[in-house]
Amino acid sequence: MTSFVESQERRDLRAAVFQLGSRYGESYFYSAAARGAKTTELWGEAAKAGYLGVSIPEEYGGGGGDIGDLAAVVEELATAGCPLLLLVVSPAIVGTIIARSGTDEQRRRWLPGLATGEARYAFGITEPDAGSNSHQIITRARRDGDDWILNGRKTYISGVDEAGHVLVVGRTEDARTGKLKPALFMVPTGAAGFEYQPIETGLVSPEKQFSLFFDDVRLPADALVGREDAGLDQLFAGLNPERIMAASQATGTARWALRKAVDYAGQRKVWDTPIGAHQAIAHPLAQIHVEVEAARLLTQKAAALDAAGDLLAAGEAANMAKYAAAEAACKAVDQAIQTHGGNGLATEYGLVQALANVRLSRIAPVSREMALNFIAQFSLKLPRSY
Amino acid sequence: MNIVVLVKQVPDSGAERTLSADFSVDRASSSNVINEMDEYAIEEALKIKEAHGGEVTVLTVGPAGATDSIRKALSMGPDKAVHVQDDALHGSCAVATSKVLAAALRTLSPDLILSGAESTDGRVQVVPHMLAELLGVAALTGARKLTVDGSQLTVERQTDEGYEVVTAATPAIVSVWDTINEPRYPSFKGIMAAKKKPVQALTLGDLGISGDEVGFAGATSQVLEFNKRPARTGGAKVVDEGNGGEQLVSYLASEKFV
């Protein structure tokens, strides 16, 4: 994006993805969630059209686009009522980290599956005792001959039951100096000593959350992605896309909720005019529209900076975008429910199911508070408290 | 096989549509899309190319704004496009449109011409037949299935009662219904490639057609007035007095659902 309007190709991509997503819609998404089913059909069709691999380099079978293209895909699917959480994780975080930091051999091994959408990889960073403070990560790997032995725990990891591997953020054992030296490992979900258990949540989604337990999990030498001492750069390569994608999923969900509210307000009559004519209904929706568009613009800016390789500036914009998008999404779903009155709480209208999902966007992948801490310290140069 | 697909840009049939002051289709106040049935024709052309090789060309007659639909069509996979654009075309009837399409088709010498069986704006369903007449080729219209065996075409032609099997040798024109296939979504690579594909622009002059043969001036029919579609009325009500099932089935049969 070199202007305030996305390229024609990006807009065409949006239109095509939205058309596909609309054939499924929220009824498909939430009925799959209610049945305990997955979004296999939608994932398959989107993969076939190449939408899931847009950001994977062409030489590995991907579309050769950037994170902005993938963000457009996740946003349009969410706008159609299908917020696919695994897109944030699998092609965006794992795909970007491997594409940017992996060895040639690792790229050849892991990226083609992401390009076709056939492979799905989860990403494990959060730990019970190291939530937002990733410096406290204790999952560790030690050498045993050429192999690695992994021990530790992870929590609130998405989609592990659907993934072939989890990209696990750990530390190498001799680097336990307190300073974060992340080392990233591709761990097969079927590995001996690796167990995962679902976490019961109030989220209505086909994609589930898991606790992970690693008990002397033996990994081959090449399970380590990139370099052992790659430091924060390798991790940050994946975190900008994560935030851009989370922001896009939130703005998509906000647009979806806003559209439902507008459609309802335009038709529902209590007295003589549709309720959308009343300013008490119209103004909050107009205000949310402004906030959603502002969040989208910030998100597109973050994506453009990331694609241009300015990761530091992209990080700042991505945090702001994620904050703004989550706030807009929470407001949009809340106001859409309010606009619907009692119907807003009926599962038939699909809005009440989205409540916890948009609430999640305020907490993950980085909490509102941590995003604001970052902006206070990085953008405003305020002193830090921790 | 050299395949040309006729693609028309029409107002979105899902939105409110109307006619302009001059009784032509109003294209300004609604969003314009590829005529839905033409997407099935594109899909069929791409499937034939994938199975038998060849080239697929999109042919559109329409105003400047039709380039959006041409790009969308190309993003599905065709190789190139021809866009006949001329201000004098505004208000053309089916006969004049067919004359222009036929002239453009002669420059392309296709083995197979594919089109949707009707457009969602005009819905007259006559252009494929008129083209067959003007070009002197066979018309296999209203296809729900098309099989290509060398130069031999076999079509299952959908009718109200069932279907007819009709055959012809190429060159021929085949118009298709939406029962024939499931059109693909434009792939990401297709979208990225679409803008780089060649689109040949042709004017009436290029085709040797004068302005007074087309448009309102050359129209063989004239719209005198139009009315809004009547509001929907309540459907038939079946009251079960012991024979509800029979009534229901006879209603469904009268609507050809069973």
Side-chain angles (χ1 to χ4, degrees), chain A residues 126-170:
Chain A
T126 304
E127 297 189 0
D129 297 319
S132 297
N133 187 356
S134 38
H135 297 263
Q136 295 290 333
I137 282 176
I138 57 163
T139 294
R140 63 205 179 275
R142 64 180 160 82
R143 283 279 189 187
D144 184 45
D146 283 346
D147 292 349
W148 294 98
I149 305 293
L150 188 71
N151 280 284
R153 283 181 65 184
K154 295 286 173 187
T155 191
Y156 290 107
I157 309 305
S158 307
V160 180
D161 57 336
E162 299 181 66
H165 288 72
V166 185
L167 182 62
V168 173
V169 182

Side-chain angles (χ1 to χ4, degrees), chain B residues 20 29 55 69 101 107 144 168 170 196 208 214 235 254:
Chain B
S20 308
S29 63
E55 189 179 49
S69 292
L101 281 170
T107 71
R144 66 170 206 179
T170 58
K196 299 181 192 93
V214 297
S254 73

Side-chain angles (χ1 to χ4, degrees), chain A residues 259-284:
Chain A
R259 188 180 70 239
K260 286 180 81 79
V262 166
D263 287 350
Y264 191 83
Q267 285 169 12
R268 167 80 172 156
K269 282 185 189 172
V270 182
W271 279 272
D272 294 339
T273 56
I275 58 170
H278 305 313
Q279 290 180 348
I281 300 293
H283 281 186

